Amino acid sequence: MASLLLLLLLALSGPGTSLFSPGSGRLLPYDLLYADGVRAYFARDWPRAAELLQRALHSYSQLLVARRGCQGRCREEAGFAGPLAAPSWETRFFDRILQRAECLGECLGRRLGSEPSLHRASREIQEDFEQREPYNYLQVALFQLKKLDEAVSAAHTFFVANPQHLQMREDMEKYQRMAGVKLESFRDLQATLYWEAYETGVQQYNVEEYLQAAVKLEESLEEVLLALEDCRALCEGPQEDGTEEEMQPGLYEAITAHYIQVLKCRQHCVLEVATKPGRVSATDDFIPSHLDLLQFAYDQVGNQALAAECAASYLLFYPSDELTLEKMKRYQAELGEEASMTARENIQRYVQRSLMEKKLIYYAVEHLGGTFNDPDPWTPDELIPGSLKQKHRENREKQRLENLDVGEQEQRGPFTFEGITVAMDSHQLNGSQRVVFDRVLTDSECKDILRLAKLAQDGIVNWRDATLLLHASEKSRKIVESYFTPGKRLHFSFTHLVCRTAVEGDQDGRMDLSHPVHADNCLLDPEGKECWREPPAYMYRDFSGILYLNDDFHGGDLFFTEVDAVTVTAQVRPKCGKLVAFSSGRENPHGIWAVTHGRRCAIALWYTLSPEHAEQERMEAEDLMRQGDMEQELSHTDVEEHMGTDHSGGASPEPPVPKGRARSTSQRRTSGSESGQQPQKLRARDEF
């Protein structure tokens, strides 16, 4: 858990060193407090560990407050107001720089009570605090001290920012089962105010409570803009590029390089504040989306003046948005020609400042080299230099395709597979990119594949049996490809024969799931009403399918929900030959009810449009099947050529299927190795 640098700090500070001096009036460096706290943790000195870790967190928080406060104060006291007239512009410019540096040093020294350079921790330690690692140590120490509610809060704070941490997930489940733990103890000690307000506002907006939504969204927007200023202020602190150059740059080159780095940092602050703790992906168009939602909410409650103000502010980001321009015309007509409909001043300042920074950054990239990943989709094309426009368009088009409304993809031609019918389409399933097909398999084909599943569990599967599975899944792939992506090749991402058997015992009133609600290519966040397309999700999956093999069981129905994972929008009852297919993204969260009697079997299928993510094992298995067919044909040819010859050994044995999935050609049979060889086992995985 501890980083290498942290362990070095532990060693250097020595076992008897005390880095915590209460009442001294000085803010001690958080990295040293952290090192001492972790040493106490490993020494199982729980009171000291808890005290020092809490002090380290407090020191880190106060350091950020001091830096933000001093940046704001010195910006006012030693600003760059007024023109820098020639010929003395250079001396006047650097005079103000020196004043700003002096102001910052004096302010930070006074607030921290010590030399500011003492508080410059390594990048590794900074990342520990940004990822809330001290709370992980702290929750254990507090638990050992039997301070259960405080331990739960510390654990929850760490878990919010690290939802994939398996050990903490187990710890949280244990805390939830413990007697005496209060529900209110599960709170985020580092919660950002605007996220709660934003998510509450969006929820109220979605249920058409527009007046309440407007209040929360205004609160969120105000806090977001403040958080942006805080983030931008911290960009002016010490920079680490992790490189050691042999030759130091000249004066102006050094100033330019550092300043452009600061500007890039400031630009990316919008991504930082738009990324919920524990997530990698930022909420798209975070600030414009506030204004768009507010505009509609105010319109619905009859406040056209504020609706027009929000619409005008939105147009600063997207000046040619036709829908918003039409609304502006309507608002002008309703409010009268004399009514002033101008954008909010704080939004005007935000956009003007951002565009000026982008202009400087793009100029530097064009003439001095480097790269810039523009965080905003609304950056106007005319701002981007001609030599960089093509790359910018490619990145923007890629992003547009990823965010393409799945509803637009439902325009397709007639379905032409003979004998197969569309039992339910997206409209009947109350969603988008969903469909149910009937009669994909016959009753006899279902029985053959069920026999394959039984043989696999009992021990023996040969290449003929495995061919049944490959043919059924390939038929399903062609159907899904024809329906959803005509003209585009769908590749198998994963194929899975799965059976679920009911547990023994009383089944009355069971409401549990054999597979919880999820989406197939993103991480579902029901509370935030989001689905984050980021690792460890299988982001390359584009479409999913389930081909059912039987219906002689109870339970086991598939159901779709809203993004909240609670509101069920459709349910599908399994049946032999029924294929359910759907897009794999946030538009189709789904789960499966537990089987309460009998055994449900199905073929689970996932598809991708990316050839590089095609299922390699399947292609190798298909090669094995083709090899088996060829060898069987050769075997028949040999029998015909030697008709009448005595073959005491009888017919040639069928070629075996390698254990598990086919891996490589080195596992295939070679001539001369067949004598007495038994077909190997192929296990069917009993999980979905």
Side-chain angles (χ1 to χ4, degrees), residues 37 57 81 84 135 163 206 316 351 383 388 415 511 514 667 676 680:
L57 288 164
L84 297 174
Y135 286 101
N206 289 335
L316 294 176
V351 172
L383 192 70
L388 303 176
F415 187 68
M511 293 295 290
S514 73
Q667 291 178 305
Q680 299 183 40

Side-chain angles (χ1 to χ4, degrees), residues 351-398:
V351 172
Q352 290 169 359
R353 181 179 64 186
S354 183
L355 290 176
M356 179 58 70
E357 291 175 350
K358 290 176 191 291
K359 187 175 182 180
L360 291 172
I361 293 171
Y362 277 119
Y363 181 90
V365 170
E366 182 183 26
H367 296 282
L368 303 176
T371 61
F372 175 51
N373 296 321
D374 197 324
D376 297 310
W378 52 267
T379 302
D381 282 341
E382 57 269 21
L383 192 70
I384 303 164
S387 61
L388 303 176
K389 280 187 176 180
Q390 183 60 33
K391 181 63 176 177
H392 181 78
R393 288 195 189 102
E394 290 174 359
N395 292 337
R396 182 173 289 184
E397 178 64 12
K398 182 180 179 181

Side-chain angles (χ1 to χ4, degrees), residues 295-343:
Q295 177 271 140
F296 189 83
Y298 282 130
D299 187 27
Q300 293 299 305
V301 299
N303 194 332
Q304 275 67 42
L306 285 177
E309 179 186 73
C310 292
S313 301
Y314 183 83
L315 287 172
L316 294 176
F317 298 93
Y318 296 103
S320 58
D321 186 79
E322 294 181 1
L323 182 60
T324 307
L325 289 171
E326 287 297 321
K327 289 179 179 179
M328 286 293 286
K329 292 179 181 178
R330 177 167 65 83
Y331 295 144
Q332 191 72 71
E334 293 174 356
L335 296 171
E337 292 298 328
E338 68 284 355
S340 174
M341 299 191 304
T342 56

Side-chain angles (χ1 to χ4, degrees), residues 1-13 35 38-39 42 125 137:
M1 190 186 300
S3 66
L4 175 62
L5 188 64
L6 180 56
L7 294 174
L8 287 173
L9 281 170
L10 293 176
L12 290 172
S13 54
V38 173
R39 185 195 306 107
F42 285 120
I125 300 298
Y137 293 104

